[in-house]
Amino acid sequence: MKPAKPLIYLRRKIDDELVRWKAREDRLPLILKGARQVGKTECVRHFAAATYASLIEINFVERPDFKEIVRDGFSVESVVRNMSMTDPTLRFVPGRTLIFFDEIQEFPEIATSLKFFAQDGRYDVIASGSLLGVHFKRIKSYSVGYQESIRMRSLDFEEFLWACGYREDQIADLLEPIFSRRPFSMATKAAMDRRFLDYCVLGGMPDVLETYFVKGTFERVPFTQGRILEDYREDVRKYAEGLDPVRIQSVFDSIPRQLAKDNHKFQWAAIRRGAGAKDYWGCVEWLEDAGVVEKSKALDFPELPMGAHLQADAFRLYMGDSGLLLSMLEEPVQEDVRVRRNLGTWKGALFENIVGEALAKAGATLGYYRKENSTLEIDFLLRAKDGLVPVEVKGENKRAQSLRTLIKGESYRDISWGIKLVNGNVGFEDNVLTLPQWCAFLLPKVVDEFCRD
């Protein structure tokens, strides 16, 4: 059965990564990781249509009979011969064919063939599927040294702006007021505020956004988001090998409650009274490997090197897509955001998730700091060229006392300035850079280039 085309194709950053991969003479078979329905399959199809004479797509969920293609071994000759025997319409054009093994979580053994395709060199290979992070160690062991990987997430805010018609140079121009420390124009801020609030409601899942951009309405958004969440739960039930799927689902379903607490640190007792880490061993890691959640680890002290201070047993969990998080909340909260556009609702935790998601999609390591027996708390810390930059998330433009304490404190030698994200405009005072909430996706570039003096 021929796969249904998407309503529209949404340009993705991974499009350029795939082009760069194809341009390298030493390219290896590529494993594309990511949560279910973030757009992996459509990106590969789009890339192949523009780049190759022939795309051979093998979906091991839709066509389990293709698992027989390795019955005679994993050499390229035997695999290709058995593929053509299973489907004689397939076209193998040496040097101009992409073989796309999709849904390989159903048949991870196919990864053994990647070594032989890498050595042979006649055909390019991409392997993808849901929950590859869960199976990645096993898949990697089948093809050690003969594959590379990329993780894909749902659309970030910049990709959303592309879909809205914004050009790259227009988005790059948003940095100029920040670096010059002057407010955005009222027109720019109003436009970005509106787009950002739409993105917060929709999230970045392609199935949700395709309908939105085709119809121009929020029709069926909650329904589609709910269906994706149920697919995630079904994946837990189907693929939680060696773990209790009920416990994984309990961890997953507890994320909104965890974030609603004043202290967002993940607490096992919030799932079940008296529970501890040993009761849910492996559950958080499973969700993390599946690409469904993002983990932010606590720092025992905010100084360099950042990695040396990250604690394994103290962390916060964020949903990998804030639109899906919103759909998990109580209906009054959803209405407060969707209808009244109140992003500061729900104790500001929704926006904190949005910032964590934006930073993870930009490639930042997530970490936070909360000083014991103190009110000092910083939502995120980012690595800069010359130190650490604390980021505080505010629903409104309120005073950021924790930021000022870190900046002025003699004990925090690696911190000299910070960022406050608010429902407001650009400002700079006492080495605190204030930015609108929607600037979260720009923070890595700001941290690299902003001059505080």
Side-chain angles (χ1 to χ4, degrees):
M1 183 176 65
K2 191 174 181 178
K5 286 188 176 182
L7 299 173
I8 56 174
Y9 181 74
L10 301 170
R11 178 190 169 194
R12 307 296 299 275
K13 292 180 180 178
I14 199 170
D15 295 343
D16 293 334
E17 292 190 60
L18 292 174
V19 170
R20 288 192 291 269
W21 170 76
K22 177 69 169 67
R24 296 203 312 270
E25 291 186 4
D26 62 344
R27 64 185 174 276
L28 296 171
L30 180 67
I31 294 180
L32 189 55
K33 300 188 293 182
R36 176 185 289 275
Q37 299 188 39
V38 295
K40 301 184 295 296
T41 299
E42 290 306 325
C43 284
V44 174
R45 290 172 180 166
H46 179 80
F47 165 65
T51 313
Y52 293 90
S54 177
L55 169 65
I56 295 175
E57 180 178 339
I58 308 299
N59 184 308
F60 290 108
V61 169
E62 296 177 357
R63 294 290 304 273
D65 54 323
F66 270 98
K67 295 179 183 180
E68 294 297 316
I69 62 178
V70 298
R71 65 177 178 268
D72 299 320
F74 292 93
S75 70
V76 173
E77 288 77 9
S78 62
V79 170
V80 167
R81 182 179 62 252
N82 288 331
M83 288 169 66
S84 63
M85 186 178 298
T86 305
D87 184 350
T89 66
L90 299 179
R91 293 175 56 234
F92 294 87
V93 184
R96 302 181 62 198
T97 296
L98 175 65
I99 297 175
F100 178 32
F101 293 124
D102 201 7
E103 301 292 2
I104 69 167
Q105 76 278 359
E106 288 289 327
F107 188 49
E109 292 80 4
I110 192 62
T112 301
S113 71
L114 300 185
K115 172 182 177 179
F116 299 96
F117 277 104
Q119 293 173 332
D120 182 275
R122 284 178 292 169
Y123 310 106
D124 288 343
V125 179
I126 295 179
S128 183
S130 305
L131 303 168
L132 289 198
V134 174
H135 298 281
F136 190 62
K137 290 181 180 178
R138 181 181 174 191
I139 290 170
K140 189 173 182 179
S141 69
Y142 290 139
S143 54
V144 175
Y146 291 96
Q147 47 80 19
E148 50 192 294
S149 65
I150 300 176
R151 179 175 175 183
M152 187 174 175
R153 294 173 168 89
S154 63
L155 278 79
D156 65 17
F157 185 52
E158 185 172 14
E159 291 170 318
F160 178 78
L161 291 177
W162 290 346
C164 292
Y166 288 85
R167 302 187 310 271
E168 288 187 24
D169 62 306
Q170 292 175 308
I171 298 173
D173 286 345
L174 296 174
L175 290 166
E176 197 279 326
I178 298 173
F179 294 151
S180 61
R181 308 178 189 182
R182 60 180 175 81
F184 290 104
S185 69
M186 295 302 294
T188 296
K189 185 176 182 303
M192 288 296 106
D193 283 347
R194 184 174 65 255
R195 296 296 189 189
F196 184 62
L197 285 168
D198 285 348
Y199 177 74
C200 292
V201 171
L202 294 162
M205 302 303 287
D207 278 0
V208 175
L209 294 180
E210 285 171 9
T211 303
Y212 169 77
F213 283 112
V214 169
K215 296 189 176 182
T217 70
F218 291 85
E219 180 182 345
R220 292 178 66 82
V221 166
F223 172 81
T224 304
Q225 290 169 333
R227 174 178 55 77
I228 294 171
L229 287 171
E230 187 51 42
D231 286 344
Y232 284 177
R233 295 185 178 99
E234 177 60 28
D235 282 343
V236 173
R237 291 189 286 269
K238 188 173 181 180
Y239 297 109
E241 298 178 5
L243 296 171
D244 183 351
V246 175
R247 298 195 180 202
I248 297 176
Q249 288 187 47
S250 296
V251 171
F252 178 70
D253 291 334
S254 79
I255 292 176
R257 297 197 305 276
Q258 302 279 356
L259 291 174
K261 299 187 281 83
D262 290 333
N263 177 6
H264 298 164
K265 174 184 174 183
F266 193 90
Q267 297 175 348
W268 305 106
I271 305 175
R272 178 172 56 84
R273 181 177 296 180
K278 65 180 185 303
D279 299 305
Y280 292 91
W281 180 88
C283 294
V284 170
E285 291 74 16
W286 193 96
L287 292 168
E288 198 178 5
D289 288 342
V292 174
V293 302
E294 303 288 349
K295 180 189 283 186
S296 178
K297 295 180 180 179
L299 278 76
D300 55 26
F301 192 78
E303 68 177 2
L304 297 175
M306 184 173 170
H309 292 277
L310 294 173
Q311 303 178 70
D313 57 349
F315 58 90
R316 295 173 177 175
L317 281 188
Y318 299 110
M319 282 290 292
D321 186 271
S322 293
L324 296 183
L325 174 63
L326 178 62
S327 71
M328 295 172 73
L329 305 182
E330 300 87 348
E331 190 60 37
V333 177
Q334 295 187 40
E335 288 184 6
D336 209 23
V337 177
R338 290 193 177 108
V339 180
R340 289 176 283 279
R341 296 305 180 99
N342 180 11
L343 195 59
T345 190
W346 198 52
K347 299 184 178 181
L350 179 60
F351 180 59
E352 186 178 321
N353 195 100
I354 291 165
V355 174
E357 172 194 351
L359 294 176
K361 287 178 176 178
T365 298
L366 299 186
Y368 72 96
Y369 178 63
R370 182 183 177 94
K371 187 175 182 180
E372 294 295 331
N373 303 317
S374 170
T375 59
L376 195 157
E377 181 176 358
I378 292 296
D379 299 310
F380 301 98
L381 287 126
L382 299 179
R383 179 71 167 90
K385 294 176 181 177
D386 57 352
L388 290 177
V389 179
V391 178
E392 197 161 347
V393 178
K394 296 287 186 182
E396 300 297 333
N397 194 356
K398 297 180 180 179
R399 188 173 179 85
Q401 186 58 48
S402 292
L403 266 183
R404 298 178 189 279
T405 299
L406 289 182
I407 292 169
K408 295 179 178 179
E410 294 182 359
S411 301
Y412 308 107
R413 294 174 297 177
D414 293 322
I415 295 173
S416 57
W417 67 286
I419 296 172
K420 181 174 65 169
L421 294 172
V422 302
N423 182 19
N425 213 321
V426 178
F428 188 74
E429 183 180 3
D430 295 334
N431 280 336
V432 175
L433 175 63
T434 301
L435 298 175
Q437 297 165 338
W438 48 264
C439 288
F441 80 103
L442 295 170
L443 289 191
K445 294 179 180 178
V446 172
V447 166
D448 282 345
E449 302 295 335
F450 185 77
C451 298
R452 64 187 181 280
D453 298 326

